[in-house]
Amino acid sequence: MSDEAALSAYTKFDFTHDGRTYPVYRRGSGPAVIVMHEMPGLHPLVVRFADRVAAAGMTVFCPSLFGKPGKPVSRGYTLTTALGVLCIRREFYVWRGDRSSPVVDWLKALARQAHSDCGGKGVGAVGMCFTGGFALAMMTDPSVVAPVLSQPSLPINKKGAAQIGVSREELACVKGRLADEDLSVLGLRFKSDKLVPDARFETYRRELGDRFEAIELEDEDAAPAIIPPHSVLTLHLKEDGPTKAAEQRTIQFFRERTGA
């Protein structure tokens, strides 16, 4: 069975903007939600989450930004993909957190197209791990109304623990929209996760105030996996308890904001 079997219910298309092209997998009907995968790629548990968003009455758009679509997670696959992205890709600012990554412009263009295609009040967006902070930067585009930051892990350096991967100008735009349009931001993480420092969530709280809704989980809430508690909506999701509640809150948040 091919790796893409996990995506057999999806329609695949290539989306190009400003010279960048990535494959995108689409499923469902109703307002759009962009589901951005974690490291090492668009693996079956990310697809499972996207399936659940689609089942809740929304159209999911799953771009494949790195890795092999549909391939299951393993230690070797994760390490190989991470090294490739860290050493080669220029679309991602891994070490600096004072501006958004170049790929965010492509993601905003995809959101505009998805909103045009699917209607509704706007587009939801969730990033996970490596892409975790991208949904906040995407809010500089008016189409994005429901950003979810799941274990936002960039930048990866101790000096950047409090940084959130947006410029001051981008943050000012986001804060203006939150106030003017009565919007909010949802953030998810495990409290022990060293890839998502306490200081990063403190920055979100300080800058966004009561417009930032944080769901912070204990280690015992996590399902067993090949890595310590990290992936709230995928590897460490239990089908009951606090992680399931976090998944359900995320889907509810999308429905409320997009008008599904």
Side-chain angles (χ1 to χ4, degrees), residues 62-76:
C62 302
S64 179
L65 302 175
F66 44 81
K68 186 175 181 181
K71 185 173 181 176
V73 176
S74 68
R75 291 184 187 276

Side-chain angles (χ1 to χ4, degrees), residues 139-199:
M139 271 202 82
T140 58
D141 191 276
S143 66
V144 178
V145 297
V148 177
L149 321 177
S150 190
Q151 73 269 6
S153 303
L154 296 186
I156 304 176
N157 67 77
K158 291 183 179 180
K159 292 182 179 180
Q163 294 181 322
I164 57 175
V166 295
S167 67
R168 298 307 303 178
E169 293 77 13
E170 289 170 319
L171 182 59
C173 176
V174 168
K175 292 166 72 171
R177 288 197 63 206
L178 293 175
D180 295 345
E181 301 174 43
D182 192 23
L183 300 175
S184 57
V185 178
L186 181 60
L188 316 173
R189 72 161 187 152
F190 286 97
K191 293 178 183 177
S192 68
D193 191 350
K194 291 181 172 55
L195 290 174
V196 191
D198 293 345

